[in-house]
mmCIF file of all heavy atoms in Angstrom:
data_model
loop_
_atom_site.group_PDB
_atom_site.id
_atom_site.type_symbol
_atom_site.label_atom_id
_atom_site.label_comp_id
_atom_site.label_asym_id
_atom_site.label_seq_id
_atom_site.Cartn_x
_atom_site.Cartn_y
_atom_site.Cartn_z
ATOM 1 N N PHE A 24 6.441 5.620 12.535
ATOM 2 C CA PHE A 24 7.815 5.553 12.046
ATOM 3 C C PHE A 24 8.065 6.514 10.893
ATOM 4 O O PHE A 24 9.136 6.486 10.276
ATOM 5 C CB PHE A 24 8.139 4.116 11.623
ATOM 6 C CG PHE A 24 8.348 3.192 12.789
ATOM 7 C CD1 PHE A 24 7.288 2.469 13.314
ATOM 8 C CD2 PHE A 24 9.589 3.073 13.393
ATOM 9 C CE1 PHE A 24 7.461 1.629 14.399
ATOM 10 C CE2 PHE A 24 9.781 2.245 14.481
ATOM 11 C CZ PHE A 24 8.712 1.514 14.999
ATOM 12 N N GLY A 25 7.095 7.356 10.595
ATOM 13 C CA GLY A 25 7.283 8.370 9.571
ATOM 14 C C GLY A 25 7.093 7.887 8.158
ATOM 15 O O GLY A 25 7.487 8.575 7.207
ATOM 16 N N PHE A 26 6.496 6.709 7.981
ATOM 17 C CA PHE A 26 6.273 6.198 6.628
ATOM 18 C C PHE A 26 5.191 7.030 5.936
ATOM 19 O O PHE A 26 4.278 7.556 6.581
ATOM 20 C CB PHE A 26 5.815 4.742 6.656
ATOM 21 C CG PHE A 26 6.784 3.779 7.280
ATOM 22 C CD1 PHE A 26 6.426 2.453 7.473
ATOM 23 C CD2 PHE A 26 8.061 4.174 7.688
ATOM 24 C CE1 PHE A 26 7.292 1.545 8.052
ATOM 25 C CE2 PHE A 26 8.945 3.276 8.270
ATOM 26 C CZ PHE A 26 8.549 1.956 8.465
ATOM 27 N N GLU A 27 5.279 7.105 4.631
ATOM 28 C CA GLU A 27 4.222 7.736 3.844
ATOM 29 C C GLU A 27 3.138 6.687 3.584
ATOM 30 O O GLU A 27 3.395 5.657 2.972
ATOM 31 C CB GLU A 27 4.770 8.247 2.513
ATOM 32 C CG GLU A 27 3.712 8.876 1.626
ATOM 33 C CD GLU A 27 4.250 9.298 0.272
ATOM 34 O OE1 GLU A 27 5.461 9.614 0.180
ATOM 35 O OE2 GLU A 27 3.470 9.294 -0.702
ATOM 36 N N LEU A 28 1.938 6.959 4.060
ATOM 37 C CA LEU A 28 0.842 5.998 3.945
ATOM 38 C C LEU A 28 0.060 6.236 2.660
ATOM 39 O O LEU A 28 -0.355 7.361 2.372
ATOM 40 C CB LEU A 28 -0.087 6.097 5.157
ATOM 41 C CG LEU A 28 0.583 6.006 6.539
ATOM 42 C CD1 LEU A 28 -0.481 5.948 7.630
ATOM 43 C CD2 LEU A 28 1.514 4.799 6.630
ATOM 44 N N ILE A 29 -0.133 5.170 1.905
ATOM 45 C CA ILE A 29 -0.822 5.248 0.618
ATOM 46 C C ILE A 29 -2.117 4.451 0.702
ATOM 47 O O ILE A 29 -2.110 3.259 1.002
ATOM 48 C CB ILE A 29 0.059 4.690 -0.516
ATOM 49 C CG1 ILE A 29 1.366 5.502 -0.614
ATOM 50 C CG2 ILE A 29 -0.682 4.692 -1.849
ATOM 51 C CD1 ILE A 29 2.386 4.898 -1.570
ATOM 52 N N THR A 30 -3.228 5.115 0.435
ATOM 53 C CA THR A 30 -4.525 4.456 0.488
ATOM 54 C C THR A 30 -4.723 3.557 -0.724
ATOM 55 O O THR A 30 -4.513 3.969 -1.863
ATOM 56 C CB THR A 30 -5.658 5.498 0.538
ATOM 57 O OG1 THR A 30 -5.527 6.284 1.726
ATOM 58 C CG2 THR A 30 -7.023 4.824 0.528
ATOM 59 N N ILE A 31 -5.122 2.311 -0.445
ATOM 60 C CA ILE A 31 -5.504 1.357 -1.487
ATOM 61 C C ILE A 31 -6.988 1.072 -1.307
ATOM 62 O O ILE A 31 -7.406 0.646 -0.223
ATOM 63 C CB ILE A 31 -4.707 0.042 -1.375
ATOM 64 C CG1 ILE A 31 -3.211 0.293 -1.566
ATOM 65 C CG2 ILE A 31 -5.219 -0.988 -2.382
ATOM 66 C CD1 ILE A 31 -2.812 0.733 -2.959
ATOM 67 N N PRO A 32 -7.812 1.290 -2.323
ATOM 68 C CA PRO A 32 -9.254 1.051 -2.160
ATOM 69 C C PRO A 32 -9.549 -0.422 -1.902
ATOM 70 O O PRO A 32 -8.887 -1.308 -2.437
ATOM 71 C CB PRO A 32 -9.847 1.491 -3.507
ATOM 72 C CG PRO A 32 -8.801 2.344 -4.147
ATOM 73 C CD PRO A 32 -7.487 1.827 -3.659
ATOM 74 N N MET A 33 -10.565 -0.666 -1.084
ATOM 75 C CA MET A 33 -11.062 -2.026 -0.864
ATOM 76 C C MET A 33 -12.150 -2.331 -1.884
ATOM 77 O O MET A 33 -12.938 -1.458 -2.253
ATOM 78 C CB MET A 33 -11.617 -2.181 0.543
ATOM 79 C CG MET A 33 -10.554 -2.307 1.614
ATOM 80 S SD MET A 33 -9.638 -3.879 1.540
ATOM 81 C CE MET A 33 -10.854 -5.035 2.139
ATOM 82 N N THR A 34 -12.198 -3.583 -2.337
ATOM 83 C CA THR A 34 -13.245 -4.055 -3.216
ATOM 84 C C THR A 34 -13.975 -5.195 -2.528
ATOM 85 O O THR A 34 -13.621 -5.589 -1.408
ATOM 86 C CB THR A 34 -12.670 -4.548 -4.558
ATOM 87 O OG1 THR A 34 -12.013 -5.824 -4.337
ATOM 88 C CG2 THR A 34 -11.655 -3.569 -5.127
ATOM 89 N N ASP A 35 -14.964 -5.774 -3.186
ATOM 90 C CA ASP A 35 -15.707 -6.886 -2.602
ATOM 91 C C ASP A 35 -14.844 -8.133 -2.434
ATOM 92 O O ASP A 35 -15.225 -9.053 -1.697
ATOM 93 C CB ASP A 35 -16.912 -7.234 -3.470
ATOM 94 C CG ASP A 35 -17.992 -6.172 -3.415
ATOM 95 O OD1 ASP A 35 -17.979 -5.370 -2.459
ATOM 96 O OD2 ASP A 35 -18.846 -6.131 -4.324
ATOM 97 N N SER A 36 -13.686 -8.198 -3.087
ATOM 98 C CA SER A 36 -12.814 -9.374 -3.008
ATOM 99 C C SER A 36 -11.497 -9.078 -2.294
ATOM 100 O O SER A 36 -10.587 -9.898 -2.309
ATOM 101 C CB SER A 36 -12.533 -9.915 -4.408
ATOM 102 O OG SER A 36 -11.958 -8.916 -5.222
ATOM 103 N N GLY A 37 -11.405 -7.909 -1.652
ATOM 104 C CA GLY A 37 -10.178 -7.544 -0.952
ATOM 105 C C GLY A 37 -9.593 -6.265 -1.514
ATOM 106 O O GLY A 37 -10.276 -5.510 -2.227
ATOM 107 N N PRO A 38 -8.320 -5.971 -1.211
ATOM 108 C CA PRO A 38 -7.697 -4.761 -1.751
ATOM 109 C C PRO A 38 -7.718 -4.762 -3.271
ATOM 110 O O PRO A 38 -7.677 -5.806 -3.913
ATOM 111 C CB PRO A 38 -6.262 -4.840 -1.210
ATOM 112 C CG PRO A 38 -6.335 -5.743 -0.031
ATOM 113 C CD PRO A 38 -7.409 -6.735 -0.340
ATOM 114 N N ASP A 39 -7.775 -3.570 -3.852
ATOM 115 C CA ASP A 39 -7.707 -3.422 -5.312
ATOM 116 C C ASP A 39 -6.317 -3.886 -5.765
ATOM 117 O O ASP A 39 -5.335 -3.163 -5.635
ATOM 118 C CB ASP A 39 -7.938 -1.958 -5.682
ATOM 119 C CG ASP A 39 -7.917 -1.699 -7.181
ATOM 120 O OD1 ASP A 39 -7.339 -2.521 -7.933
ATOM 121 O OD2 ASP A 39 -8.454 -0.669 -7.613
ATOM 122 N N MET A 40 -6.237 -5.098 -6.287
ATOM 123 C CA MET A 40 -4.933 -5.680 -6.599
ATOM 124 C C MET A 40 -4.266 -5.022 -7.803
ATOM 125 O O MET A 40 -3.040 -5.046 -7.925
ATOM 126 C CB MET A 40 -5.059 -7.180 -6.813
ATOM 127 C CG MET A 40 -5.400 -7.947 -5.525
ATOM 128 S SD MET A 40 -4.291 -7.579 -4.130
ATOM 129 C CE MET A 40 -2.728 -8.224 -4.748
ATOM 130 N N ASP A 41 -5.039 -4.418 -8.689
ATOM 131 C CA ASP A 41 -4.423 -3.638 -9.771
ATOM 132 C C ASP A 41 -3.623 -2.484 -9.170
ATOM 133 O O ASP A 41 -2.489 -2.208 -9.597
ATOM 134 C CB ASP A 41 -5.494 -3.091 -10.718
ATOM 135 C CG ASP A 41 -6.141 -4.167 -11.572
ATOM 136 O OD1 ASP A 41 -5.557 -5.270 -11.694
ATOM 137 O OD2 ASP A 41 -7.228 -3.911 -12.128
ATOM 138 N N ALA A 42 -4.209 -1.817 -8.176
ATOM 139 C CA ALA A 42 -3.522 -0.703 -7.512
ATOM 140 C C ALA A 42 -2.312 -1.192 -6.734
ATOM 141 O O ALA A 42 -1.257 -0.544 -6.721
ATOM 142 C CB ALA A 42 -4.489 0.030 -6.586
ATOM 143 N N VAL A 43 -2.445 -2.349 -6.062
ATOM 144 C CA VAL A 43 -1.322 -2.907 -5.306
ATOM 145 C C VAL A 43 -0.174 -3.261 -6.239
ATOM 146 O O VAL A 43 0.991 -2.907 -5.990
ATOM 147 C CB VAL A 43 -1.773 -4.152 -4.506
ATOM 148 C CG1 VAL A 43 -0.560 -4.855 -3.876
ATOM 149 C CG2 VAL A 43 -2.767 -3.762 -3.418
ATOM 150 N N GLU A 44 -0.476 -3.965 -7.324
ATOM 151 C CA GLU A 44 0.569 -4.402 -8.261
ATOM 152 C C GLU A 44 1.271 -3.218 -8.900
ATOM 153 O O GLU A 44 2.484 -3.276 -9.169
ATOM 154 C CB GLU A 44 -0.056 -5.315 -9.328
ATOM 155 C CG GLU A 44 -0.450 -6.675 -8.771
ATOM 156 C CD GLU A 44 -1.392 -7.451 -9.665
ATOM 157 O OE1 GLU A 44 -1.850 -6.886 -10.691
ATOM 158 O OE2 GLU A 44 -1.692 -8.619 -9.350
ATOM 159 N N GLU A 45 0.541 -2.132 -9.123
ATOM 160 C CA GLU A 45 1.164 -0.925 -9.679
ATOM 161 C C GLU A 45 2.036 -0.243 -8.624
ATOM 162 O O GLU A 45 3.162 0.193 -8.911
ATOM 163 C CB GLU A 45 0.084 0.042 -10.168
ATOM 164 C CG GLU A 45 0.613 1.315 -10.824
ATOM 165 C CD GLU A 45 1.440 1.051 -12.078
ATOM 166 O OE1 GLU A 45 1.175 0.052 -12.781
ATOM 167 O OE2 GLU A 45 2.361 1.861 -12.364
ATOM 168 N N ALA A 46 1.541 -0.178 -7.387
ATOM 169 C CA ALA A 46 2.258 0.529 -6.326
ATOM 170 C C ALA A 46 3.587 -0.130 -5.986
ATOM 171 O O ALA A 46 4.574 0.564 -5.695
ATOM 172 C CB ALA A 46 1.385 0.623 -5.081
ATOM 173 N N VAL A 47 3.647 -1.467 -5.992
ATOM 174 C CA VAL A 47 4.873 -2.154 -5.563
ATOM 175 C C VAL A 47 5.994 -2.058 -6.602
ATOM 176 O O VAL A 47 7.106 -2.523 -6.346
ATOM 177 C CB VAL A 47 4.607 -3.629 -5.206
ATOM 178 C CG1 VAL A 47 3.605 -3.733 -4.068
ATOM 179 C CG2 VAL A 47 4.164 -4.436 -6.416
ATOM 180 N N LYS A 48 5.725 -1.427 -7.733
ATOM 181 C CA LYS A 48 6.797 -1.169 -8.695
ATOM 182 C C LYS A 48 7.758 -0.103 -8.166
ATOM 183 O O LYS A 48 8.885 0.022 -8.654
ATOM 184 C CB LYS A 48 6.204 -0.725 -10.031
ATOM 185 C CG LYS A 48 5.390 -1.798 -10.756
ATOM 186 C CD LYS A 48 4.765 -1.250 -12.037
ATOM 187 C CE LYS A 48 3.918 -2.301 -12.738
ATOM 188 N NZ LYS A 48 3.249 -1.759 -13.952
ATOM 189 N N ASP A 49 7.299 0.653 -7.179
ATOM 190 C CA ASP A 49 8.119 1.690 -6.541
ATOM 191 C C ASP A 49 8.966 1.030 -5.454
ATOM 192 O O ASP A 49 8.428 0.467 -4.496
ATOM 193 C CB ASP A 49 7.196 2.748 -5.939
ATOM 194 C CG ASP A 49 7.943 3.896 -5.282
ATOM 195 O OD1 ASP A 49 9.177 3.808 -5.118
ATOM 196 O OD2 ASP A 49 7.281 4.885 -4.912
ATOM 197 N N PRO A 50 10.301 1.081 -5.537
ATOM 198 C CA PRO A 50 11.152 0.430 -4.522
ATOM 199 C C PRO A 50 11.022 1.029 -3.132
ATOM 200 O O PRO A 50 11.435 0.412 -2.151
ATOM 201 C CB PRO A 50 12.569 0.624 -5.073
ATOM 202 C CG PRO A 50 12.469 1.759 -6.036
ATOM 203 C CD PRO A 50 11.095 1.703 -6.616
ATOM 204 N N ALA A 51 10.432 2.217 -3.032
ATOM 205 C CA ALA A 51 10.219 2.825 -1.714
ATOM 206 C C ALA A 51 9.040 2.191 -0.979
ATOM 207 O O ALA A 51 8.908 2.353 0.238
ATOM 208 C CB ALA A 51 9.997 4.327 -1.849
ATOM 209 N N VAL A 52 8.186 1.468 -1.714
ATOM 210 C CA VAL A 52 7.040 0.808 -1.083
ATOM 211 C C VAL A 52 7.535 -0.477 -0.425
ATOM 212 O O VAL A 52 7.967 -1.413 -1.097
ATOM 213 C CB VAL A 52 5.935 0.500 -2.111
ATOM 214 C CG1 VAL A 52 4.832 -0.346 -1.481
ATOM 215 C CG2 VAL A 52 5.350 1.799 -2.655
ATOM 216 N N LYS A 53 7.456 -0.512 0.910
ATOM 217 C CA LYS A 53 8.057 -1.613 1.670
ATOM 218 C C LYS A 53 7.051 -2.623 2.204
ATOM 219 O O LYS A 53 7.462 -3.675 2.714
ATOM 220 C CB LYS A 53 8.845 -1.039 2.853
ATOM 221 C CG LYS A 53 10.061 -0.203 2.449
ATOM 222 C CD LYS A 53 11.169 -1.083 1.879
ATOM 223 C CE LYS A 53 12.458 -0.298 1.729
ATOM 224 N NZ LYS A 53 13.553 -1.151 1.192
ATOM 225 N N GLY A 54 5.757 -2.324 2.125
ATOM 226 C CA GLY A 54 4.831 -3.302 2.671
ATOM 227 C C GLY A 54 3.388 -2.877 2.570
ATOM 228 O O GLY A 54 3.049 -1.804 2.064
ATOM 229 N N ILE A 55 2.520 -3.750 3.087
ATOM 230 C CA ILE A 55 1.081 -3.526 3.046
ATOM 231 C C ILE A 55 0.437 -4.169 4.273
ATOM 232 O O ILE A 55 0.866 -5.228 4.738
ATOM 233 C CB ILE A 55 0.467 -4.109 1.748
ATOM 234 C CG1 ILE A 55 -1.041 -3.803 1.647
ATOM 235 C CG2 ILE A 55 0.703 -5.627 1.642
ATOM 236 C CD1 ILE A 55 -1.645 -4.149 0.299
ATOM 237 N N TRP A 56 -0.572 -3.504 4.809
ATOM 238 C CA TRP A 56 -1.391 -4.068 5.878
ATOM 239 C C TRP A 56 -2.530 -4.880 5.263
ATOM 240 O O TRP A 56 -3.136 -4.445 4.280
ATOM 241 C CB TRP A 56 -2.002 -2.976 6.750
ATOM 242 C CG TRP A 56 -1.035 -2.219 7.612
ATOM 243 C CD1 TRP A 56 -0.684 -0.908 7.505
ATOM 244 C CD2 TRP A 56 -0.310 -2.737 8.735
ATOM 245 N NE1 TRP A 56 0.213 -0.574 8.486
ATOM 246 C CE2 TRP A 56 0.462 -1.674 9.260
ATOM 247 C CE3 TRP A 56 -0.230 -3.993 9.341
ATOM 248 C CZ2 TRP A 56 1.291 -1.821 10.363
ATOM 249 C CZ3 TRP A 56 0.598 -4.141 10.439
ATOM 250 C CH2 TRP A 56 1.348 -3.072 10.946
#
């Protein structure tokens, strides 16, 4: 669908949530797998 894909590093407990919480401050970020 032409979305810009942003890599979030995986950690031993799941996605790097510091990176996720920072990324979702951008209103263009619409979701996460």
